[in-house]
Amino acid sequence: MAVILGNSGIVELTRSSIDETFTSDVNPSDVNPTKNSFSFDFPLGQLLTGDQLEIKATDGDTLDFITGWTYPDGKWFINVDPVGGIRLYEDFEGAVNGEITGRVDLQLPSRDIPIEVKVQNSFARCLAEVTEFELNTSRDAVDVTEIGEEFRQQFGTLISGSGTIGCFFEYQQNPCGSDGSVTPELALYMHQLVIRQQLGSEFKARLYLVRRGTGSGVDFDDEVWYEFNAWVTNVAIAFEPTQLVRSQIQFVTNGLIQLKVKTASNYLLQENDDRILLERNQGTGYLEVEQQE
Amino acid sequence: MSYLSGKDGSITYNGVKLAKVASWTLSSQVEALEVTSLEDFARDYTPGLKTASGSCTIWMYDDAATALLSKVIRTDNPTDADKLTMTLGFGAKSVTFTSMITNAELAMTVGEVMQAQIQFSVCGDMTSVVL
């Protein structure tokens, strides 16, 4: 029997705005080709640095304020400065760091471009410096006891979930990640999310109970995780002398809650149905398979 | 002697015990006809007609509520034959009367089990009262 320790858990987030969209116009005066930034009318704080925006010209013409772009829509990561200027990037890392390198070139458009904007991310990133998480799943039970009965009878109805995530407060990306891993989400994003009024505070989460390569007595490839969409309902932070500053994020799940278990076999199956134990002499090895025609 | 609770309750109509009943109520009134006359110092009344009505709630489970619902939710016209002999039981005691179903309500709500709400009026005098 394996003993699962708390250090095997991680929280993976995917940014989302459900299907909420903004509509606005990009005017020639909104575009600054020198700084490769542009803007349009949106409430400050609704678009967050690191969001992946799907921008679509609703008149069907091209987004010609983007140099060399000949399509009516496209997806880019954004960096939003304090006065609402938006810079486009092809990658998340460039957007969160606001680097000049990788910034998408802009040009003055020939017309006022009516646009529709949606936050549409598909990449999952780990939430950094998580110290704890908790997920409660519950099923409502309706009392269907009828008169004349001596014991209560219950009928199960809807399933709901809620929980908390605790992490150290962090606001600045480290551009030189020592382990070369994908740039994580920071606690600051959750603080921004809860006050994002118009696009909502929804995110997609995976809470890993067992993740690949961790846990003694657990197969290397095993993974167990909860997957759900959730709304941030409460974010708390407190400052105390001598104490580390932590963020406490509370959420409620929205819709389906899935508990997924992946137990990849560590055996090779032979033609005669016998099995050979697949052994590794190091943790991060891989098998190379060549297909024969 | 003991206290009574929901486990001691029942509804019987036309000799058949109703299944999946969640609750019942019975409300009886006697009209007070005023006979106060001049120079009286307090209002005075004499009894008038008696009326009684009630309700019950039935979990929608198979055909538990069908017999009562069909007295109101129907395609043809109700007749005197739709009157029921109903007994509301509580422990060893009961009230028996002839009733007419006057209201049937169905409601489906997210997260709740469907119920039928039935209201009835007592026709004529009570047949039997053991309180």
Side-chain angles (χ1 to χ4, degrees):
Chain A
M1 294 293 288
V3 175
I4 308 298
L5 298 177
N7 58 7
S8 67
I10 57 172
V11 176
E12 207 174 71
L13 295 186
T14 305
R15 297 188 181 203
S16 169
S17 69
I18 332 171
D19 289 324
E20 297 290 335
T21 59
F22 277 135
T23 54
S24 187
D25 293 292
V26 176
N27 306 311
S29 59
D30 292 332
V31 181
N32 184 338
T34 308
K35 295 185 176 179
N36 286 327
S37 72
F38 76 106
S39 188
F40 55 89
D41 292 336
F42 68 92
L44 201 60
Q46 301 307 301
L47 299 180
L48 306 175
T49 291
D51 282 346
Q52 189 183 30
L53 285 196
E54 182 181 316
I55 305 174
K56 179 182 176 184
T58 55
D59 61 0
D61 209 341
T62 60
L63 294 171
D64 66 357
F65 69 100
I66 298 169
T67 305
W69 194 257
T70 56
Y71 307 100
D73 56 6
K75 285 183 184 179
W76 295 272
F77 292 94
I78 60 167
N79 177 281
V80 186
D81 67 25
V83 292
I86 297 173
R87 299 175 179 88
L88 303 179
Y89 292 82
E90 296 290 350
D91 58 78
F92 178 77
E93 289 76 13
V96 294
N97 293 317
E99 296 167 346
I100 296 176
T101 306
R103 199 175 285 175
V104 173
D105 289 333
L106 303 182
Q107 62 187 10
L108 288 177
S110 57
R111 69 189 201 286
D112 292 345
I113 306 173
I115 59 168
E116 183 181 88
V117 172
K118 183 193 292 184
V119 177
Q120 188 72 33
N121 282 344
S122 56
F123 296 104
R125 292 186 172 77
C126 293
L127 185 62
E129 303 191 68
V130 174
T131 57
E132 59 179 323
F133 68 75
E134 178 184 316
L135 174 67
N136 304 306
T137 50
S138 61
R139 180 188 286 273
D140 293 343
V142 176
D143 192 336
V144 292
T145 311
E146 53 193 279
I147 58 175
E149 289 188 324
E150 297 187 347
F151 295 93
R152 283 200 177 280
Q153 295 206 43
Q154 310 277 351
F155 183 76
T157 58
L158 299 178
I159 298 169
S160 58
S162 63
T164 60
I165 297 171
C167 54
F168 293 119
F169 179 73
E170 178 60 277
Y171 69 99
Q172 194 171 31
Q173 292 285 357
N174 178 4
C176 304
S178 57
D179 57 356
S181 59
V182 177
T183 304
E185 292 287 1
L186 302 178
L188 176 68
Y189 176 65
M190 308 305 279
H191 285 258
Q192 293 171 321
L193 207 54
V194 75
I195 55 174
R196 192 171 71 172
Q197 181 63 34
Q198 297 198 358
L199 289 177
S201 63
E202 196 186 56
F203 63 97
K204 182 177 180 181
R206 287 180 174 178
L207 303 184
Y208 280 86
L209 316 180
V210 176
R211 63 188 162 100
R212 193 170 186 274
T214 58
S216 61
V218 177
D219 284 345
F220 183 85
D221 291 320
D222 286 358
E223 289 181 301
V224 182
W225 72 94
Y226 278 102
E227 188 169 325
F228 52 84
N229 283 3
W231 288 79
V232 178
T233 56
N234 186 295
V235 176
I237 192 167
F239 283 74
E240 288 181 61
T242 74
Q243 296 295 316
L244 295 170
V245 178
R246 297 168 188 261
S247 298
Q248 285 289 336
I249 300 122
Q250 294 181 5
F251 59 87
V252 293
T253 63
N254 181 25
L256 184 66
I257 303 170
Q258 295 174 293
L259 176 58
K260 295 188 174 180
V261 180
K262 184 177 131 189
T263 51
S265 171
N266 282 343
Y267 293 91
L268 290 177
L269 186 64
Q270 299 184 93
E271 285 185 349
N272 62 359
D273 290 340
D274 285 344
R275 297 188 302 175
I276 299 176
L277 178 63
L278 180 62
E279 293 181 302
R280 300 170 193 273
N281 54 10
Q282 57 186 15
T284 55
Y286 62 90
L287 289 176
E288 186 174 292
V289 178
E290 184 175 292
Q291 186 175 359
Q292 301 289 329
E293 293 186 357
Chain B
M1 293 295 291
S2 63
Y3 293 107
L4 298 176
S5 63
K7 68 180 174 56
D8 303 306
S10 66
I11 296 181
T12 305
Y13 75 98
N14 290 349
V16 179
K17 190 172 181 182
L18 203 58
K20 301 296 177 189
V21 178
S23 67
W24 61 253
T25 66
L26 177 66
S27 174
S28 299
Q29 302 87 33
V30 176
E31 285 181 4
L33 304 178
E34 186 162 352
V35 291
T36 313
S37 54
L38 296 176
E39 298 185 342
D40 279 350
F41 288 92
R43 289 190 179 277
D44 195 9
Y45 299 91
T46 188
L49 297 177
K50 294 187 294 181
T51 56
S53 61
S55 67
C56 64
T57 307
I58 305 168
W59 298 112
M60 288 299 288
Y61 183 89
D62 285 346
D63 294 332
T66 304
L68 299 187
L69 289 173
S70 63
K71 299 294 181 187
V72 177
I73 303 174
R74 58 196 296 173
T75 54
D76 55 347
N77 297 324
T79 65
D80 278 349
D82 291 312
K83 290 181 180 177
L84 305 169
T85 300
M86 188 176 283
T87 301
L88 304 181
F90 46 106
K93 303 178 178 186
S94 63
V95 178
T96 303
F97 49 84
T98 300
S99 70
M100 189 171 73
I101 308 298
T102 56
N103 188 293
E105 186 176 325
L106 290 173
M108 177 67 90
T109 308
V110 172
E112 295 182 8
V113 176
M114 190 177 182
Q115 290 182 324
Q117 306 275 350
I118 305 289
Q119 293 179 19
F120 53 85
S121 292
V122 175
C123 304
D125 213 346
M126 298 280 185
T127 310
S128 163
V129 177
V130 182
L131 297 177

